[in-house]
Amino acid sequence: MFGFRIGAATHVGVARQINQDSYATAPGLVVVADGMGGHRGGEVASAVAAKEMIRRFDSPVLDALVTGVEHANRRILDEAAADPNLHGMGTTVVALGLIEVEDGVALGAINVGDSRMYRLTGNVLEQLTEDHSLVEALVREGRITPAEAEVHPQRNIVTRALGVIEHVEVDSFHFVPKIGDRYLLCSDGLFNEVDAHTIAMILATEADPDVATEKLVAAANQGGGRDNITAVIADVVAADEASMPSNPEALANQTVVEASEPTNEQAAVAIDEPMQDAVPKQRWSWRR
Ligand code: MN
């Protein structure tokens, strides 16, 4: 059926001392988390989220992704309560997984916070997630324009994150898998420094997913590199063409997790809604 050809890169950026972003990959699952909180809190929170998402994806269904977020939230709250150095830590999380549905295979996705998921189809880039951020709320209320949001001094304030309250609200979606579609998961350190047309251009012109993520990170550093930068690409391919990231620098920085490969023996759970794509939030087309 389908598989992911995965590429990944993460970088501290040029302004920060430590990289509080984490990502994790497993066959058929990609996760990006952007941690926040002083001392080592941000790093710990994002790593917990990345690991927990992989661990809970023992059954390839959308519910496993939502459950992963809930377990990660619980663990982050518990660890913060137990260690004063970790008090107040939190993280975003965005994930995409190949899931089984009644009539076949779909792509399941979850999002909490202001990391993003995009999809490139041909030369059209779509933003698939909605930011849970102050500026996004202000744009929605018509108080500022999207252009003003991009340079707003409070654009790093998130309105939803893991590690804040007991019951975290999770956005979940599903998409129809199509061979050739390219999904990008990234932290705000990418899209705050690189405009959507440049992201689309890099995604459309660099076939190798590891190289493409390295180019995205380089573009963010050129743009200022004021935050940690993480980019993970999942290309939808035939199952026998699936592959994991091979970028050695990215591998050195990634959250190491024991991947549990989804197996077909596990019971497929039907999703309630009819199979159709979630509505994209924004769309750009890119021409050479
Ligand atoms: Mn960030």
Side-chain angles (χ1 to χ4, degrees):
M1 287 287 277
F2 297 102
F4 284 162
R5 187 177 55 163
I6 301 171
T10 188
H11 194 270
V12 68
V14 300
R16 301 276 173 97
Q17 300 300 314
I18 49 170
N19 192 347
Q20 297 194 313
D21 287 356
S22 292
Y23 74 87
T25 62
L29 180 63
V30 286
V31 186
V32 167
D34 178 349
M36 58 208 84
H39 302 286
R40 299 178 49 80
E43 285 170 272
V44 172
S46 68
V48 166
K51 283 182 197 166
E52 209 61 25
M53 291 304 296
I54 301 279
R55 186 190 305 181
R56 301 292 166 179
F57 199 63
D58 50 359
S59 173
V61 295
L62 190 58
D63 266 357
L65 294 174
V66 176
T67 305
V69 177
E70 289 164 353
H71 281 274
N73 185 52
R74 180 73 265 155
R75 269 195 57 195
I76 292 164
L77 285 168
D78 288 349
E79 290 191 21
D83 182 347
N85 285 325
L86 301 179
H87 183 74
M89 69 175 174
T91 188
T92 72
V93 66
V94 60
L96 179 73
L98 276 166
I99 58 171
E100 292 176 2
V101 290
E102 205 168 41
D103 50 354
V105 180
L107 295 169
I110 58 88
N111 182 52
V112 177
D114 67 348
S115 298
R116 285 185 184 171
M117 185 181 310
Y118 295 89
R119 175 178 55 207
L120 184 84
T121 305
N123 58 4
V124 175
L125 182 74
E126 296 163 312
Q127 181 185 334
L128 301 172
T129 50
E130 180 175 285
D131 300 344
H132 305 135
S133 66
L134 177 69
V135 290
E136 176 67 30
L138 293 174
V139 169
R140 218 168 28 238
E141 291 165 16
R143 291 165 64 184
I144 60 172
T145 66
E148 285 167 338
E150 283 177 17
V151 294
H152 198 280
Q154 290 175 308
R155 69 180 181 278
N156 61 341
I157 295 179
V158 294
T159 50
R160 248 199 261 174
L162 278 66
V164 182
I165 53 169
E166 294 286 326
H167 295 287
V168 60
E169 194 185 339
V170 184
D171 286 355
S172 63
F173 321 85
H174 52 266
F175 306 106
V176 178
K178 293 198 185 75
I179 286 181
D181 279 357
R182 167 166 272 190
Y183 286 81
L184 168 69
L185 281 64
C186 63
S187 61
D188 63 341
L190 178 68
F191 59 79
N192 281 337
E193 305 290 15
V194 186
D195 65 81
H197 288 95
T198 304
I199 293 174
M201 185 269 289
I202 291 169
L203 292 175
T205 53
E206 178 50 64
D208 183 304
D210 277 317
V211 178
T213 54
E214 283 169 33
K215 287 184 175 178
L216 290 168
V217 165
N221 277 324
Q222 274 163 23
R226 283 158 285 197
D227 193 4
N228 308 144
I229 308 140
T230 301
V232 175
I233 287 174
D235 288 327
V236 180
V237 296
D240 61 355
E241 290 172 9
S243 65
M244 297 294 280
S246 57
N247 174 349
E249 270 182 34
L251 287 176
N253 274 326
Q254 86 162 300
T255 298
V256 178
V257 288
E258 280 158 42
S260 62
E261 194 159 356
T263 63
N264 292 326
E265 291 126 52
Q266 281 148 344
V269 174
I271 45 180
D272 298 327
E273 304 129 89
M275 272 296 297
Q276 56 182 8
D277 251 15
V279 180
K281 167 115 193 74
Q282 275 197 75
R283 180 176 278 151
W284 303 266
S285 72
W286 174 79
R287 300 212 188 286
R288 200 181 282 268

